Every structure is written in C-alpha cells, then in structure tokens.
Amino acid sequence: MLMAALGRTHEAAEFLVTACQDYAEAELLLLRPLAPESLAQLAHPKAEGVRRLLGLYMAHEDDEMAARLVADVLQRYSECLCDDAGDVLASIPEHWPYAIAEPLVSRQLARLAHREKSSSIERGLRQSLAMAEQLRTVDEHRGFGPIVLDYSQACAKCHKLLGSSAFVLVPESREIRHVSCG
C-alpha cells in the first residue's frame, strides 16, 4: 500500500498479483480510486485500470487460474472495454474456452446493433428534415400561380427561344430560363 500511496499504483498492483497473489486487493487498487470524484466513478472504473488488470492476470503462470481471473474481470467490467474489444479479444489465448470472452463479445454485438439502429434513426431524421425544407420552399413559391408561355418566349439568360424545352421560374426576379441555364 506504500507504493500506491507514493503514486506507483501499477507497480503495487503487479506486486499484489505476482508476489502475494492477492487478486481482490489488486483489483480494488486498480479499479476503485482511493478518493472518487463521484459515486458514478465507483460504479464505472476506468478502462485503463481494467486493461492493466487483464494484462497482469493473463501473465499469470497458472493458465487455469489466469483464465478464471480474466473471465471474472470480463464478466464484471466488459462495458469498460467496448472501445478496446478487438485488442482484448486478440490477446486472449486461442485454447481458452469461448465462455471467457462471451460477455465482451455479446456486449460488443449489442453495441453494434444499437449503433445500426441509431444510424437508421438519424438517417430517417435527416430525410424528414430535408423533406420539410423542400415543402417549406414549395409553400413559399406557391403564390406564383400558373405560368403561361407561348412558342415566342425567350430565355432570360441565353435569349434563345424556349420552345418545348424544360424551363424554370427564378423566384427572386420572376425570370423564365432554360433548366440548363438555371
């Protein structure tokens, strides 16, 4: 605890895991701050501490004990590792059972599904806002009434006859132009 008081938390945690095999104390040291800023900080430890603890546990010489310790950390703190899920999964040995990584994988899949739903909702909102803008523009220009042309009408920009070509009405100047003349 003296090392932790001196600000050497990572070294103290490594000593607790390797020399003392006091996993609970190492977990408390890395994941629970000594002076929390808020109650939310107690409920959600920092991802850095969880990653450090996983690294210490994976380096354990007893493979079975390491697997149990890693499984316990992933079960309880998988929400802290969402941003680093790929790196964590890559560091888990292949011969360990899938059940160890299952909490992290299921949380990541749920996160991806939520992201897909969120992007779908955002896309729908953008489309509805664009449609509302188009409707507002149509409503602004609704008062112009019908446009009557004959074959002798010329484009206000290029001065060529409109004939039967497509045309637009420029609302600000009330000029009639070819669509290509804009």
Side-chain angles (χ1 to χ4, degrees), residues 79-143:
E79 73 275 354
C80 296
L81 301 169
C82 284
D83 295 334
D84 303 325
D87 295 336
V88 171
L89 290 173
S91 66
I92 294 176
E94 291 180 17
H95 64 277
W96 284 6
Y98 170 74
I100 291 173
E102 190 271 332
L104 186 60
V105 171
S106 64
R107 177 162 305 269
Q108 197 65 6
L109 288 173
R111 187 175 178 209
L112 288 173
H114 175 71
R115 186 180 302 152
E116 180 63 31
K117 287 178 186 173
S118 295
S119 65
S120 172
I121 291 169
E122 288 174 10
R123 189 177 341 64
L125 286 172
R126 278 194 304 273
Q127 288 173 348
S128 69
L129 289 173
M131 179 64 77
E133 180 63 25
Q134 289 175 350
L135 288 174
R136 188 188 61 75
T137 304
V138 167
D139 284 343
E140 284 178 2
H141 300 101
R142 188 170 292 206

Side-chain angles (χ1 to χ4, degrees), residues 17-94:
V17 169
T18 55
C20 303
Q21 294 185 349
D22 190 350
Y23 308 111
E25 193 65 34
E27 196 171 314
L28 283 172
L29 183 64
L30 283 176
L31 303 181
R32 305 288 188 220
L34 295 176
E37 297 170 10
S38 69
L39 291 176
Q41 193 174 4
L42 284 175
H44 303 291
K46 293 192 181 337
E48 177 187 336
V50 176
R51 284 191 307 272
R52 179 79 176 148
L53 193 62
L54 281 173
L56 290 172
Y57 287 172
M58 284 185 194
H60 198 283
E61 64 267 355
D62 182 7
D63 198 47
E64 187 177 318
M65 177 61 120
R68 274 191 269 137
L69 291 169
V70 168
D72 184 50
V73 168
L74 290 179
Q75 180 69 38
R76 290 187 287 146
Y77 303 112
S78 62
E79 73 275 354
C80 296
L81 301 169
C82 284
D83 295 334
D84 303 325
D87 295 336
V88 171
L89 290 173
S91 66
I92 294 176
E94 291 180 17

